[in-house]
Amino acid sequence: MRYLLPLLLGLLTTLAGRAHNHTPPLLPKPQVVEWQRGTLQFNALALECPESLKEGLSNDLIQMGFILDDADAAKLNVRIVEALDKVTLNEDEAYRLKVDNEGIAIDALTLTGVYRALQTLRQLSSDTDKNHALPYCSIVDWPAFRIRGFMHDVGRGFIPLDELKKQIDLLARFKINVFHWHLTEDIAWRLESRVFPQLTGYDNFERLPGKYYTLEEARELIDYCRQRHVLLIPEIDMPGHSAAFTRALGHDMQSPQGMDLLKQLMDEVCTVFAEVPYLHIGTDEVEFTNPDFVPEMVTYVRSKGKKVISWNPGWNYKKGEIDMIQMWSYRGRLHPGIPAIDSRLHYINHFDTFADLVALYNSNVAGVSQGNDDVAGAIIAAWNDRYVESTAQIVSENGLYPTMLTLAETCWQGRREKYFDEQGSLIDPDDPVAQANFADFEDRLLYYKEKVFADEPFAYVKQSNVNWRITDAFPNKGDLLRRFPPEEALQPTYQYEGKEYATRPAIGAGIYLRHVWGTLIPGFYTDPQPNHTAYAYTWVYSPVAREAGIYVRFQNYGRSEKDLPPPQGKWDYKESRIWLNDVGIAPPVWENTHGKKSNEISLQNENWEGRPPIPVQLKKGWNKLLLKMPVAQFSSDEVRLVKWMFNAVLVAPDGSKALDDIIYSPDKKRK
């Protein structure tokens, strides 16, 4: 509760600033903002800074779209200072930014802090007739957590270098500061080796043969990240996930011969990544047959001038034996004295675009509201155990950009009280402050969807106004086709077989009745039981009759699961259904029809992100929307993870955005 008042005051300050100055929204939201009346208008900047910084800063400003000129220009004064008032932690990224009638002033302790300030300056600037306009303001800002990153598993997949650069460039604009490059896997070794060229030999790939990164490309990406003040963390997985190493070199990593070969390889890797402070060595999901392997390899990599990161659970380190751990799965644990990166519940290959974004927005990091010696921050990870045909599919179906902007906000701002397993994935219908905070963030997220990510896969649409009533679950006794009273009439409560079944409100375009990770993360039902049927309903008011689209899903097909597609003519294998104005909405024709599970069959249109919206017709006035969601057991032959959930949101016919002028109200209230 101690954070509610500051958050509410911050929201009111932001709204007031926008009203007075018409400022573009800032993301992530700065720690301290004071808006003043007035606007600085200019068509060029006169840069004043230490001579040693001038060339780099000039390049940054030009790349951001500013014109540099000494004549008839607004002054931009950049200083490296020894201290900043009000900054409480992570001073190396902190900055002070002031805009008034005298110009723009940026103070920071480091060049990285200056770079973060420039990203805020870029967001503040709006173009007016080829000029720039900045609202008068005073900002003091710093990140709550020192690591805010994303990871790509390019071992199982492959993302071209230019695409990685584009993602790094776009996300650095929102103060994301880490790219974790998972380069090796059982399936393939994706980093060139001139010492052991057979590692990237065509026959050593089990997927996407011949696709790997040259050493020159690796150096190029290191420099690209450095210019954007992004820390690159390369990962060479050992001794697990190393079948590609064994195939190519003929020795298991944990054998004496394998360790000797691996050390030669580390000589090369550490030379290529000489400018990078960390090397990630994996150590997860493996049986340790050689108790000396991990300690010896950590010592060897450290002798090359590198700090070492390792997954947890993995090798059981004591303080001083490793430089940082990265927690994965619910079993990841903090180890006092060892800094930790939280990736436990940050695997977006399982995420729903809507519900899990809410969970991420509301969650703290590793149980703390700001970083400390033991909690460094968080990394969002995209694992593609299943073959994915294109980078666009990886980005869209995993919700990479909307999820990363959410992480940018939460890890920079901090102040969250609860972790995933306490607060769950729901927008609280009884907490107007929480609703207002999320709606404010969503507005900023969608602003940048249009302004920055217009040409990128960005599936998220507005959901904070989508209101439902969801019934208590009716026992179906294993009969998924069984009908219940909500199919006859919509009511706040129902009587069925002598028992009362209530309805409760819910908000959002994605609702987990039972989360993908079971009851580890709270869903709508506190004690979900198998062999039950749930209903969700709302009324949708449209001021005009119109053609629209609807995004619908009752099972989120994970990008790491070798699942079967839905049967033709059905939404899923659970007999889920949806009606608009009492007319059933039919599913699309499923493009995948295979009857044998395989990780090598890419998802097609199983998920709504992989298909256009279903065309629907809204009538003028109130439209009835009803969803039926049966479930049998929470395990099945068709999919590995049964997801008792739904997505439903009305959108423009092309699916680009939600309909702005409709009202979702289960009680038919237009206000």
Side-chain angles (χ1 to χ4, degrees):
M1 292 296 292
R2 66 184 183 275
Y3 293 114
L4 290 181
L5 183 57
L7 286 172
L8 182 57
L9 290 174
L11 175 61
L12 292 174
T13 301
T14 298
L15 295 176
R18 291 186 201 169
H20 291 314
N21 296 286
H22 307 289
T23 63
L26 300 179
L27 198 162
K29 185 179 292 185
Q31 300 290 357
V32 180
V33 185
E34 296 177 7
W35 301 106
Q36 287 99 32
R37 292 183 180 274
T39 302
L40 177 68
Q41 296 185 344
F42 60 93
N43 57 19
L45 289 173
L47 176 61
E48 298 180 5
C49 66
E51 193 61 35
S52 60
L53 305 182
K54 200 149 198 173
E55 182 179 357
L57 292 180
S58 296
N59 291 336
D60 289 338
L61 289 163
I62 292 170
Q63 193 266 337
M64 292 177 187
F66 294 105
I67 297 172
L68 299 185
D69 196 342
D70 290 332
D72 193 27
K75 182 175 68 174
L76 170 58
N77 189 343
V78 177
R79 299 187 308 167
I80 301 297
V81 298
E82 294 184 357
L84 289 173
D85 293 340
K86 300 182 182 178
V87 174
T88 59
L89 72 168
N90 299 323
E91 291 183 329
D92 61 315
E93 293 189 88
Y95 65 90
R96 180 169 55 235
L97 170 63
K98 186 174 183 179
V99 181
D100 58 24
N101 60 356
E102 294 184 359
I104 308 159
I106 292 174
D107 292 340
L109 280 70
T110 68
L111 191 55
T112 296
V114 173
Y115 189 81
R116 303 289 181 251
L118 293 181
Q119 307 316 309
T120 301
L121 181 67
R122 186 183 209 170
Q123 292 185 10
L124 282 171
S125 174
S126 58
D127 297 331
T128 58
D129 297 327
K130 297 185 179 180
N131 291 328
H132 295 276
L134 297 176
Y136 289 175
C137 60
S138 177
I139 296 173
V140 181
D141 202 12
W142 65 91
F145 294 92
R146 62 187 183 274
I147 285 183
R148 310 170 301 281
F150 70 113
M151 187 220 79
H152 276 307
D153 168 18
V154 297
R156 296 179 178 91
F158 182 81
I159 297 177
L161 187 70
D162 285 347
E163 174 67 25
L164 290 177
K165 286 181 175 180
K166 179 175 66 177
Q167 293 180 17
I168 290 163
D169 185 64
L170 287 171
L171 292 175
R173 292 176 61 168
F174 299 92
K175 304 181 177 68
I176 292 298
N177 70 340
V178 170
F179 171 56
H180 176 178
W181 203 11
H182 183 84
L183 283 160
T184 66
E185 263 299 333
D186 291 331
I187 283 176
W189 192 279
R190 300 282 181 199
L191 180 65
E192 179 190 17
S193 172
R194 293 173 185 167
V195 177
F196 301 115
Q198 58 267 48
L199 284 167
T200 52
Y202 200 86
D203 293 339
N204 196 43
F205 292 91
E206 293 184 339
R207 185 184 293 167
L208 300 171
K211 291 188 179 294
Y212 62 90
Y213 305 95
T214 67
L215 299 186
E216 186 53 43
E217 286 175 326
R219 294 187 182 98
E220 189 178 333
L221 195 62
I222 293 166
D223 188 58
Y224 196 84
C225 287
R226 179 189 57 78
Q227 292 175 25
R228 286 150 185 80
H229 297 264
V230 170
L231 171 66
L232 190 151
I233 299 176
E235 181 178 355
I236 305 296
D237 217 333
M238 60 180 84
H241 297 267
S242 57
F245 176 97
T246 303
R247 282 196 305 272
L249 302 184
H251 296 283
D252 181 87
M253 278 187 179
Q254 296 190 69
S255 69
Q257 300 92 333
M259 288 184 68
D260 181 63
L261 296 171
L262 186 58
K263 287 177 181 178
Q264 295 178 54
L265 193 56
M266 288 301 99
D267 292 344
E268 181 180 42
V269 168
C270 290
T271 299
V272 172
F273 292 100
E275 296 181 30
V276 172
Y278 288 98
L279 180 70
H280 200 307
I281 64 168
T283 80
D284 61 313
E285 296 185 313
V286 64
E287 179 185 356
F288 295 104
T289 58
N290 179 352
D292 296 326
F293 177 88
V294 173
E296 192 169 329
M297 290 311 302
V298 169
T299 299
Y300 194 81
V301 172
R302 280 176 162 177
S303 75
K304 299 296 174 181
K306 294 281 175 279
K307 296 179 181 179
V308 184
I309 303 174
S310 179
W311 290 104
N312 171 266
W315 186 259
N316 188 24
Y317 298 99
K318 295 181 176 61
K319 182 179 178 180
E321 293 179 344
I322 196 73
D323 298 292
M324 189 174 289
I325 58 172
Q326 185 170 356
M327 301 183 294
W328 70 281
S329 93
Y330 70 96
R331 294 176 292 125
R333 293 290 181 267
L334 293 173
H335 289 248
I338 305 176
I341 301 167
D342 189 359
S343 292
R344 287 181 292 193
L345 300 173
H346 297 77
Y347 280 18
I348 57 175
N349 45 291
H350 295 301
F351 268 28
D352 169 59
T353 298
F354 294 114
D356 289 299
L357 182 143
V358 174
L360 182 64
Y361 173 78
N362 286 321
S363 179
N364 61 34
V365 176
V368 299
S369 59
Q370 65 179 30
N372 56 43
D373 290 343
D374 291 340
V375 180
I379 287 177
I380 291 291
W383 301 99
N384 297 291
D385 298 83
R386 186 167 182 165
Y387 167 60
V388 180
E389 289 185 351
S390 70
T391 299
Q393 186 181 10
I394 293 174
V395 174
S396 180
E397 295 209 22
N398 288 313
L400 176 70
Y401 286 129
T403 303
M404 286 309 304
L405 295 195
T406 307
L407 184 82
E409 173 91 353
T410 59
C411 279
W412 185 276
Q413 191 178 41
R415 305 179 188 173
R416 273 61 175 170
E417 288 192 321
K418 296 180 179 179
Y419 194 59
F420 288 93
D421 55 0
E422 291 184 87
Q423 51 85 26
S425 59
L426 299 171
I427 301 171
D428 190 343
D430 298 320
D431 188 339
V433 173
Q435 293 173 45
N437 282 329
F438 181 77
D440 169 67
F441 165 71
E442 184 180 64
D443 285 347
R444 290 179 283 126
L445 177 76
L446 293 173
Y447 174 87
Y448 287 108
K449 174 184 178 178
E450 182 177 343
K451 184 176 177 66
V452 176
F453 297 94
D455 297 326
E456 302 299 322
F458 197 110
Y460 186 87
V461 299
K462 185 179 180 66
Q463 65 163 328
S464 59
N465 63 330
V466 182
N467 296 288
W468 304 95
R469 280 197 170 274
I470 301 178
T471 67
D472 292 339
F474 295 86
N476 62 41
K477 301 179 181 179
D479 180 4
L480 299 179
L481 295 174
R482 192 168 185 171
R483 292 168 55 90
F484 296 96
E487 295 184 48
E488 305 300 324
L490 302 186
Q491 300 173 186
T493 60
Y494 296 93
Q495 295 292 325
Y496 179 72
E497 294 186 345
K499 183 179 176 182
E500 182 174 281
Y501 290 80
T503 63
R504 290 185 288 126
I507 302 172
I511 305 291
Y512 281 114
L513 304 177
R514 177 183 183 268
H515 198 273
V516 57
W517 288 303
T519 55
L520 177 67
I521 297 180
F524 182 80
Y525 295 130
T526 56
D527 186 24
Q529 296 296 315
N531 298 316
H532 278 71
T533 297
Y535 292 86
Y537 71 84
T538 192
W539 290 91
V540 181
Y541 181 83
S542 176
V544 296
R546 63 181 358 139
E547 293 181 355
I550 188 168
Y551 284 133
V552 182
R553 171 167 62 194
F554 298 97
Q555 171 76 18
N556 178 350
Y557 288 82
R559 281 62 68 190
S560 290
E561 318 305 327
K562 48 184 178 182
D563 299 331
L564 298 182
Q568 292 292 2
K570 296 183 182 294
W571 278 106
D572 60 14
Y573 52 87
K574 303 190 296 285
E575 300 292 345
S576 299
R577 295 195 64 187
I578 178 171
W579 297 269
L580 178 63
N581 294 324
D582 297 317
V583 177
I585 299 176
V589 175
W590 304 114
E591 296 173 14
N592 271 332
T593 59
H594 55 278
K596 182 179 180 181
K597 295 180 182 179
S598 170
N599 265 333
E600 303 310 309
I601 298 175
S602 180
L603 289 168
Q604 296 299 322
N605 66 341
E606 289 96 326
N607 286 325
W608 67 260
E609 296 93 341
R611 61 178 183 259
I614 303 293
V616 294
Q617 188 73 34
L618 293 178
K619 63 184 182 181
K620 181 179 180 179
W622 290 105
N623 296 262
K624 176 184 175 184
L625 190 59
L626 174 65
L627 287 72
K628 178 180 183 178
M629 294 152 291
V631 70
Q633 297 299 310
F634 296 132
S635 60
S636 108
D637 294 332
E638 292 86 359
V639 297
R640 186 174 78 88
L641 299 172
V642 172
K643 301 181 181 180
W644 198 16
M645 60 164 291
F646 70 89
N647 290 149
V649 61
L650 289 157
V651 294
D654 66 356
S656 60
K657 63 179 182 178
L659 298 177
D660 294 330
D661 59 348
I662 64 174
I663 299 170
Y664 295 84
S665 175
D667 305 316
K668 290 188 176 181
K669 294 180 179 179
R670 290 178 59 180
K671 292 185 179 180

